[in-house]
């Protein structure tokens, strides 16, 4: 009897010491195995790619309103600055279709976003933005000073030409634009000099320097430039200023 009592006490002690503490969970239970993994950290590059993919859906719309664009920005938790910066970054994407979509959307961007577009545009894309602003005509005169600043520091002839033409469309009679046209007569690029002539051809004050520029341009190896220079020379010979001097 005593032996049975000792055996019973030993079994109770064993059960007490081996049982799990109250509230403890076996790490191999289904609840522990189903615990969610920590979310992956999104890098700035990943965020840009994701945001650009969302913005590209706007290309499906034939025409964009400010509400369309702002709604897409908000859906992806982008500020206006981040959204426009993302579109501009798309111009440098390695994929051609992404670059094309970004350019298409920038052309469609409502004027409400032009302040950010002008402020954030890198130098290499200022020619494109100048063309976009030029579509607004005189209504874009508020950007004349920015265009003049861009033109003054642009090293690429194509960018200078695009800005030059935008000034001619937006504010051809603006005093600072006229000064830029006059400087254009001595630009290293012959095409810019030729465009400067077209803006100043009716200006009596610029008559002498325009004629000098045309004499040089008509000797250009570029047939189009040479022929256009001869055309403007003939125009000057038959202009009202030439008739008054006879």
């Amino acid at each position: 009897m005593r032996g049975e009592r000792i055996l019973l006490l030993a079994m109770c002690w064993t059960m007490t010491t081996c049982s799990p503490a109250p509230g403890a969970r076996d790490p191999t239970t289904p609840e522990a195995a189903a615990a969610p993994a920590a979310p992956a950290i999104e890098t700035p590059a990943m965020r840009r790619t994701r945001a650009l993919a969302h913005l590209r859906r706007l290309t499906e719309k034939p025409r964009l309103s400010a509400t369309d664009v702002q709604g897409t920005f908000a859906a992806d938790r982008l500020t206006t600055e981040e959204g426009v910066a993302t579109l501009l970054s798309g111009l440098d994407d390695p994929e051609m279709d992404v670059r094309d979509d970004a350019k298409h959307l920038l052309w469609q961007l409502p004027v409400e976003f032009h302040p950010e577009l002008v402020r954030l545009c890198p130098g290499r894309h200022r020619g494109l933005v100048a063309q976009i602003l030029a579509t607004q005509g005189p209504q874009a005169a508020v950007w004349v000073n920015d265009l003049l600043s861009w033109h003054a520091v642009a090293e690429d002839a194509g960018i200078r030409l695009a800005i030059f033409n935008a000034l001619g469309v937006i504010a051809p009679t603006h005093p600072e634009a006229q000064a830029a046209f006059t400087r254009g007569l001595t630009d290293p690029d012959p095409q810019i000099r030729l465009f400067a002539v077209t803006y100043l051809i009716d200006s009596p004050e610029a008559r002498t320097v325009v004629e000098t520029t045309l004499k040089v341009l008509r000797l250009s190896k570029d047939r189009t430039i040479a022929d256009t220079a001869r055309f403007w020379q003939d125009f000057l010979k038959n202009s009202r200023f030439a008739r008054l001097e006879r």
Side-chain angles (χ1 to χ4, degrees), residues 150-162:
W150 290 0
H151 185 266
V153 299
E155 297 182 358
D156 181 84
I159 293 176
R160 288 201 307 278
L161 180 59

Side-chain angles (χ1 to χ4, degrees), residues 120-152:
L120 298 173
C121 183
R124 62 186 176 277
H125 296 312
R126 286 175 175 173
L128 171 64
V129 172
Q131 294 176 58
I132 292 171
L133 296 177
T135 62
Q136 300 299 313
Q139 295 179 6
V142 66
W143 305 118
V144 167
N145 288 335
D146 294 276
L147 291 171
L148 288 167
S149 298
W150 290 0
H151 185 266

Side-chain angles (χ1 to χ4, degrees), residues 89-238:
S89 72
L91 297 174
D92 299 315
D93 195 274
E95 296 292 333
M96 182 181 293
D97 60 339
V98 176
R99 297 196 301 271
D100 289 344
D101 284 348
K103 184 181 293 186
H104 176 67
L105 288 174
L106 287 170
W107 274 104
Q108 285 189 286
L109 205 60
V111 294
E112 289 88 344
F113 300 92
H114 284 181
E116 295 291 350
L117 184 61
V118 172
R119 186 173 68 83
L120 298 173
C121 183
R124 62 186 176 277
H125 296 312
R126 286 175 175 173
L128 171 64
V129 172
Q131 294 176 58
I132 292 171
L133 296 177
T135 62
Q136 300 299 313
Q139 295 179 6
V142 66
W143 305 118
V144 167
N145 288 335
D146 294 276
L147 291 171
L148 288 167
S149 298
W150 290 0
H151 185 266
V153 299
E155 297 182 358
D156 181 84
I159 293 176
R160 288 201 307 278
L161 180 59
I163 297 171
F164 199 79
N165 286 331
L167 287 168
V169 173
I170 294 170
T173 60
H174 190 286
E176 291 298 323
Q178 286 283 315
F181 300 152
T182 301
R183 291 193 299 273
L185 292 171
T186 57
D187 192 279
D189 186 81
Q191 194 170 9
I192 292 178
R193 296 203 300 273
L194 190 60
F195 271 89
V197 166
T198 65
Y199 291 122
L200 298 171
I201 198 72
D202 288 326
S203 173
E205 295 80 6
R207 176 71 180 271
T208 301
V209 67
V210 165
E211 289 179 336
T212 301
T213 301
L214 288 173
K215 287 178 182 178
V216 175
L217 290 175
R218 69 174 294 170
L219 301 176
S220 173
K221 293 181 180 179
D222 186 319
R223 183 66 177 271
T224 301
I225 291 177
D227 289 348
T228 306
R230 292 189 185 94
F231 168 83
W232 285 121
Q233 282 184 318
D234 292 339
F235 176 86
L236 283 175
K237 289 178 183 178
N238 297 294

Side-chain angles (χ1 to χ4, degrees), residues 10 17 19 21 26 43 64 80 87 90 100 117 145 149 172 190 207 227 229:
T17 56
S19 62
D26 185 346
T43 65
L64 297 181
T80 299
L87 280 177
D100 289 344
L117 184 61
N145 288 335
S149 298
R207 176 71 180 271
D227 289 348

Side-chain angles (χ1 to χ4, degrees), residues 2-16:
R2 182 180 178 182
E4 293 178 357
R5 185 181 300 171
I6 292 173
L7 181 60
L8 183 61
L9 289 173
M11 291 176 63
C12 291
W13 179 84
T14 302
M15 292 175 64
T16 302

